[in-house]
Amino acid sequence: MKVVGGPSSMELGRRVAEALGLELIEASTKRFPDGEFYFRYLQPIAGEELLIVQSLYPPQDEHLMELLAMTYTARDLGASKITLFIPYLAYSRQDERYLDGECLTSDLVRHLLEGVGADALYTVDVHSMKVLERYRIPAYNLTAAGELARYFADRGLKDPLILAPDDEEMALERVRYAAEVIEAEYDSLKKERDRYTGEIKTYAKELSVRGRDVIIIDDIISTGRTTANAARILKEMGAARVYAGVTHLLLRGNALELIKSAGVEEVVGTDSVPGSLSRVSVAPLIAEALNP
Ligand code: R5P
């Protein structure tokens, strides 16, 4: 197997190749003056097994087109097996048709990836397993929740509690796992989203957090409102320090300011979305999954 890093995840591609001890394939990419994407493999790939690494953070449609071009070309040129590692699988929050007439966009992405010839898919902390269950090719979810919790735990925490800012199935699974990794307790809050306005409301509940350090673990920070709401509730209830370990830091607009002003000491994410807060790499996760 050989690794190719797409334009959104060049550095991660290098880390994945290193973690797996595999060769990194060279490719050439550019944008034409009108914005169209150009892609070329610089080495022969006929008969090769390829692992394509490309995360779909914003601008997600551009990154998706890049991934489609890389996958289509690999199939067209005769690669023997194409495995995709897409740490952030964009559109996974559109996991159901919540309102009549809506596009089930997560399934459109599935059609496109399968249509251009992907043979298998790995992602990290997918928002909903329903998205992966619709795939006809093998599609696997990995989690960074344990490593995110360990990042904070290694610095010494007071009687830590791991908290999910909502009680969706995947959110609970993540905190249960993170709590197991650092041998802590876990709990969750309840959150509701208005399907028309997107507004969210988080409900306070009895939580034993007075004087304790809390790590909020979640899959995505986009506007920051989910994390900020949870942090505000925790601080009001007397939590000592509140941290946030969130896999995909999309951080739109003033998300970070909002979260910090709600009392979060530190936000840490993964290199699924590269940035200054990406302190945990997802490379060991795919290395472990492919080479246990
Ligand atoms: C949704 O339920 C997810 O798990 C995240 O909590 C959510 O997408 C975060 O979005 P935002 O930062 O905009 O509140």
Side-chain angles (χ1 to χ4, degrees):
M1 182 183 257
K2 293 182 178 170
V3 180
V4 196
S8 74
S9 303
M10 295 295 281
E11 182 51 38
L12 178 58
R14 271 189 282 278
R15 288 181 190 149
V16 169
E18 199 182 309
L20 281 159
L22 296 175
E23 186 190 328
L24 195 62
I25 290 220
E26 283 187 43
S28 159
T29 64
K30 68 179 178 189
R31 290 263 164 202
F32 288 104
D34 61 358
E36 286 181 0
F37 180 60
Y38 168 93
F39 181 81
R40 179 184 173 209
Y41 285 104
L42 295 175
Q43 286 166 241
I45 55 162
E48 297 285 358
E49 275 193 32
L50 288 191
L51 175 62
I52 298 179
V53 182
Q54 168 90 341
S55 201
L56 299 182
Y57 57 85
Q60 45 279 76
D61 296 350
E62 282 182 20
H63 289 152
L64 177 61
M65 182 60 194
E66 291 162 358
L67 176 60
L68 293 172
M70 294 170 76
T71 310
Y72 171 81
T73 312
R75 179 53 78 224
D76 198 28
L77 295 180
S80 61
K81 181 172 180 192
I82 305 165
T83 301
L84 306 182
F85 180 39
I86 312 176
Y88 178 59
L89 186 58
Y91 292 107
S92 294
R93 287 182 291 179
Q94 297 183 44
D95 59 340
E96 274 183 45
R97 208 183 306 281
Y98 290 97
L99 301 175
D100 286 348
E102 278 181 350
C103 176
L104 185 49
T105 320
S106 60
D107 207 43
L108 164 62
V109 172
R110 172 186 72 80
H111 270 282
L112 293 171
L113 297 177
E114 290 178 343
V116 290
D119 292 304
L121 160 71
Y122 288 81
T123 186
V124 180
D125 289 319
V126 70
H127 179 67
S128 162
M129 281 308 284
K130 279 180 240 162
V131 172
L132 298 188
E133 282 158 8
R134 292 191 190 100
Y135 276 77
R136 290 173 192 170
I137 58 172
Y140 306 98
N141 183 49
L142 311 172
T143 183
E147 285 313 306
L148 288 166
R150 210 195 304 268
Y151 174 89
F152 294 111
D154 283 350
R155 299 151 146 226
L157 296 175
K158 195 172 166 212
D159 195 10
L161 177 79
I162 307 278
L163 185 99
D166 64 58
D167 57 4
E168 298 277 324
E169 194 186 331
M170 291 301 279
L172 293 177
E173 210 171 282
R174 276 191 297 271
V175 289
R176 213 176 287 128
Y177 177 65
E180 198 181 300
V181 169
I182 67 160
E183 295 179 5
E185 290 179 341
Y186 68 89
D187 211 324
S188 62
L189 292 172
K190 186 173 160 51
K191 181 184 94 173
E192 275 172 7
R193 185 183 292 275
D194 183 306
R195 289 287 160 201
Y196 291 93
T197 63
E199 278 310 307
I200 59 162
K201 187 168 167 42
T202 308
Y203 297 91
K205 73 172 202 193
E206 275 296 309
L207 282 174
S208 129
V209 291
R210 186 157 298 280
R212 298 174 72 179
D213 291 335
V214 183
I215 310 172
I216 298 170
I217 294 280
D218 205 4
D219 56 342
I220 299 169
I221 294 179
S222 179
T223 64
R225 287 177 300 182
T226 300
T227 307
N229 281 5
R232 221 170 281 118
I233 290 171
L234 291 165
K235 291 306 268 186
E236 277 167 17
M237 296 180 83
R241 291 173 298 179
V242 176
Y243 298 102
V246 177
T247 310
H248 312 294
L249 294 182
L250 306 182
L251 296 176
R252 310 322 285 164
N254 66 346
L256 202 54
E257 275 166 59
L258 193 69
I259 290 168
K260 288 285 175 78
S261 66
V264 174
E265 307 264 336
E266 187 179 354
V267 179
V268 158
T270 74
D271 52 2
S272 79
V273 186
S276 59
L277 304 177
S278 311
R279 300 281 159 76
V280 170
S281 180
V282 295
L285 298 178
I286 185 73
E288 170 68 23
L290 292 177
N291 218 355

